Amino acid sequence: MYQWRKFEFFEEKLGGGKCKIPEEISGKIECASSGRGKLVIGCDDGTVSLLDRGLNFNFGFQAHSSSAFFLQMLKQRNFLVSIGEDEQISPQQSGMCLKVFDLDKMQPEGSSTTSPDCIGILRIFTNQFPQAKITSFLVLEEAPPILLIAIGLDNGCIYCIKGDIARERITRFKLQVDSSSGEGNSSVTGLGFRLDGQALLLFAVTPNSVSLFSMQNQPPRRQLLDQIGCNVNSVAMSDRSELIIGRPEAVYFYEVDGRGPCWAFEGEKKFLGWYRGYLLCVIADQRNGKNTFNIYDLKNRLIAHSLVVKEVSHMLCEWGNIILIMTDKSALCIGEKDMESKLDMLFKKNLYTVAINLVQTQQADASATAEVLRKYGDHLYSKQDYDEAMAQYINTIGHLEPSYVIQKFLDAQRIYNLTNYLENLHEKGLASKDHTTLLLNCYTKLKDVEKLNVFIKSEDGVGEHKFDVETAIRVCRAANYHEHAMYVAKKAGRHEWYLKILLEDLGRYDEALQYISSLEPSQAGVTVKEYGKILVEHKPAETINILMRLCTEDIELAKRATSNGGYLSMLPSPVDFLNIFIHHPQSLMDFLEKYADKVKDSPAQVEIHNTLLELYLSIDLNFPSISQVNNGTDFNIKARTVSNGKLAVDGKNSSIEKDMLERREKGLRLLKSAWPADLEHPLYDVDLAIILCEMNAFKEGLLYLYEKMKLFKEVIACYMQVHDHEGLIACCERLGDSGKGGDPTLWADLLKYFGELGEDCSKEVKEVLKYIERDDILPPIIVLQTLSRNPCLTLSVIKDYIARKLEQESKLIEEDRRAIEKYQEDTMAMRKEIQDLRTNARIFQLSKCTACTFTLDLPAVHFMCMHSFHQRCLGDNEKECPECAPEYRSVMEMKRSLEQNSKDQDQFFQQVKSSKDGFSVIAEYFGKGVISKTSNGSTGTARSDSVSSSSGF
């Protein structure tokens, strides 16, 4: 063992470690113990003294009258157990006593000294337990207040006392260790208790044997572990309850089943102890007669401390220190250095392996261990031992920042070490995206496909969790390891990456379409939206089939299952995929046509029809919404209109023109089919349709929309723009007939058009005048004023029309004159009659009653209208003639109705508007006195003048 390194992991405390036992302790030190922050010393005069941490005297008391031989401080309770000699009661009875002191209870003795309360005194030797020399002593605290005391004797016996000594409830029994040898070789030199589960075991050592007693058996069963032993003070127990004995040739460890490890430390072991995992030995060197105190670290195989000491009488451990009491009453206090000091000492000597073992065996925290490993790695790196350095750095993963290590190994010559580190980083799940990128770059630089396969295609099924999936795909793709990138993408469910590689890198379009078909509809829809542009460019028909499947899947089944078509709203809409056809309008048209043919009640049919109209009506198969997205490209519309209203395309061959005409026919059919007669609004945006027709000069569609929307003036405006006179007249014939819901004012607009045309259009004007005259649409004066603006028209054009109108007007004037004369005559007659009634008397000559036709007798009633009645025939109604009253009431009712109508302006204007001659309506209102200033005059007096008061005869 001389090859073990020596270190100074311990240092001397309390004034350099050397101090004196207090002078208050005057006797020879026979025994010592420690515990609960106290050092207890027993002397040959029977006194027991207690010292504090600085080895200062606290107090002392007389424990025994003669001498104190053994002491032990208990751990659970503040009790002190001592064995000493007191006065003999009789010559036959020994004075050896066992006492238990309660150090928490002090009893005053006189005025100056105090002593703890002695709670129990017990005579060790009795008739059943004969007297012998005590060689060892040990106390085990069981459940309080039970104590188990083992006393080893020089005759090979062990006296055991168990129970509550304070109450004297105890049992005694004896164990026989060895009685075959001579007396000198059978004394019990050491004892040790061990709790093995619920079993209590007792080690017993003699100079030539090691035994083990099972205390749970009655009587306790002895087991011989070894046939070698040791002397007094050379026995100790480790913190793992192993028995340790020291012999001149070695130190032996014992378990319950026998001898364990052996450490060949030569020299006589005067004292043996155990402290925090260290083995303590005071070894006598026979060559120079000196005693050496060594502290062994058995796990790391080093000597933590070594120094030459005087003759040692006792060795104790307390306050985290090791205390050696010498025979000359001097003391040596040794304490362990802190971990940082020990590591600094090792680092200065470059003993990194020792430092690593030290922190691991002393159970230092992981960060401290990692720091030692880092320094060791740095040391190896400086010596260019890169493989070993990396081995140390790998052990720091989780505590050391990875960038610290990575920067050291970025050189291409050390890429293998870097790869190893990054692999371990991923294995422990601590890798970031950058680490994944770096590792995959290392694989690709090394062209190590096998390792790349292991990393990417790990068999454990959790490879995707060890690295960032997107980073792995990106790096493999950049390094042209497309199959690996596709494997990761597929395994991780990153469909967009899988398709991106297939389409953009490998150009395997058929495989991409098959993959999309295998996905769930929702996932397939997302991928088609993202990569549909590429698919449409290379595989338009197959892409359209997939879209049809996505948008119409099981649609017939859904229709049978639900009557409200709610299932359709769950399917993707074709409108969602319009952007993928941005450069391929022909494919978009095919897709939308197929969808529209299959699905008649789609929620998006308005948007679909709008898009189809854009495609159908565009001249070069483009449509604004897409072209604007396409970098703002303008339409190269080269459309011209010719006199017959047809369209021609400049610079295009006949096939292109034919295709355009076919599309326009489809557009017109769509305009008509998507606006059924039973719907008020069409299944497309009318405003958009009109704009498209105007932009692309599609006259047929424009005319249909205007007619459908009853915008007749816009219809004739279209014909006016192309100067289609025949079409204009035919259109007005169709749309200007009020009897068929048309607008007669169209003829007025047409006449105004010809009046402002500035060219000879006599034939057309005559045709227009015929309809104006027939329906009496305009007065002649307006016709003359309108046509006078055209300098190319002569009077002959309207000669016949004017003649007929003048003749017609002359007849009307004559009829009006005759009517006026008649009204004047009637008026004069009425005025004369009124005047006669006012000024002259009336003679009533009727002889019969108008009501009953009997002879008129008194009392009778005569009315100014020349009707006479019996008073009894009139009843209560004597104020008006029963014969003339109905006619009078009808006249008054008509007057009240006219007065009421005069307040209804809406009705008046409606009559004016709907009448062919609005002036006649106004004249009629004036003629009836409805809107005359005198109409609000005294109408209530009219009736009073018509009927005279009845007079009785």
Side-chain angles (χ1 to χ4, degrees), residues 73-84:
M73 281 290 298
L74 302 186
K75 295 180 179 179
Q76 297 182 19
R77 292 172 291 174
N78 195 15
F79 285 2
L80 173 65
V81 182
S82 68
I83 293 179

Side-chain angles (χ1 to χ4, degrees), residues 690-709:
I690 292 174
I691 293 173
L692 291 173
C693 291
E694 289 183 347
M695 288 179 60
N696 297 284
F698 184 42
K699 188 183 75 173
E700 291 84 353
L702 201 60
L703 293 176
Y704 171 77
L705 291 172
Y706 284 155
E707 286 188 27
K708 196 72 175 176
M709 298 171 67

Side-chain angles (χ1 to χ4, degrees), residues 692-730:
L692 291 173
C693 291
E694 289 183 347
M695 288 179 60
N696 297 284
F698 184 42
K699 188 183 75 173
E700 291 84 353
L702 201 60
L703 293 176
Y704 171 77
L705 291 172
Y706 284 155
E707 286 188 27
K708 196 72 175 176
M709 298 171 67
K710 298 189 181 302
L711 300 175
F712 301 139
K713 294 185 182 295
E714 281 75 6
V715 174
I716 64 173
C718 293
Y719 288 99
M720 292 176 181
Q721 288 178 358
V722 296
H723 303 287
D724 185 1
H725 298 167
E726 293 180 2
L728 264 174
I729 295 174

Side-chain angles (χ1 to χ4, degrees), residues 675-680:
W675 198 341
D678 57 342
L679 292 181
E680 182 181 357

Side-chain angles (χ1 to χ4, degrees), residues 477 480 482-483 486 497-515 531 533-539:
R477 186 183 176 204
N480 294 325
H482 297 116
E483 294 298 330
M486 288 169 58
W497 278 103
Y498 188 87
L499 291 170
K500 194 178 187 71
I501 298 167
L502 276 178
L503 297 173
E504 297 181 3
D505 298 337
L506 303 179
R508 285 146 59 171
Y509 308 107
D510 292 329
E511 186 176 344
L513 289 168
Q514 291 178 359
Y515 184 77
Y531 301 104
K533 295 178 184 177
I534 302 176
L535 293 172
V536 169
E537 181 179 357
H538 296 88
K539 297 288 180 179

